[in-house]
Amino acid sequence: CGVDYSTYKNGAWDGKRFAAVSHLISIAHNWRVRVRCFAPDDDFPSIPSITSIWNSVNWFEREAFDLFGIVFPGHNDLRRILTDYGFIGHPFRKDFPISGYVEMRYDPDQQRVIYQPVTIEPREVTPRIVREEGYGDVENA
């Protein structure tokens, strides 16, 4: 999986920003190992692919590429797996806006799907809490 450490420890983290983490298990020995590899460049995160060792990591590397923008040199089929090909950005990065950059809609005049800038105004949603009278009152319990 991919990890973005940019806000780790409330921003007090001074290490590299992106990492790829592999969780390995030996059923025969009941051993578990977690291997974490940090990308040396935060602007263009790149970590060598391990698909030549474990072929099953193929989709996980594609997912980390798609959602975090981590490139895996040596991967033979590195392309988006969860987002659309026209999608801009990497949605699991901590600096990705909640509403995204563009929205997609069908235009009946052009008879095709078009992309346009997001028109959603950001807002804060505070949940309304409704409690019955005397809730938490120890004396009436």
Side-chain angles (χ1 to χ4, degrees):
C1 64
V3 181
D4 182 354
Y5 285 97
S6 63
T7 60
Y8 186 64
K9 294 188 176 181
N10 293 329
W13 175 260
D14 64 351
K16 297 296 181 188
R17 178 176 177 183
F18 295 103
V21 181
S22 297
H23 302 270
L24 309 172
I25 184 170
S26 168
I27 303 295
H29 300 289
N30 194 23
W31 293 342
R32 296 169 189 269
V33 177
R34 180 180 300 140
V35 179
R36 181 177 7 200
C37 181
F38 285 92
D41 185 7
D42 291 344
D43 295 328
F44 186 75
S46 174
I47 299 170
S49 176
I50 57 172
T51 54
S52 61
I53 301 169
W54 291 291
N55 190 30
S56 61
V57 81
N58 178 11
W59 281 30
F60 299 107
E61 288 185 357
R62 287 179 59 190
E63 181 181 83
F65 166 71
D66 190 9
L67 301 177
F68 291 95
I70 301 172
V71 176
F72 293 92
H75 193 286
N76 60 353
D77 188 20
L78 196 60
R79 57 191 162 104
R80 291 193 180 269
I81 191 169
L82 296 171
T83 60
D84 185 43
Y85 293 115
F87 190 84
I88 298 171
H90 305 285
F92 278 14
R93 287 188 175 193
K94 302 289 178 147
D95 56 358
F96 190 80
I98 293 174
S99 62
Y101 297 109
V102 295
E103 59 187 359
M104 177 178 68
R105 68 175 180 83
Y106 180 77
D107 187 351
D109 296 333
Q110 297 181 24
Q111 294 185 347
R112 67 182 184 96
V113 173
I114 61 169
Y115 294 90
Q116 61 190 37
V118 174
T119 58
I120 301 170
E121 290 295 323
R123 62 184 176 142
E124 182 177 329
V125 178
T126 307
R128 185 173 159 232
I129 300 172
V130 179
R131 293 192 176 126
E132 56 193 53
E133 194 166 327
Y135 176 83
D137 193 0
V138 180
E139 295 175 8
N140 294 334

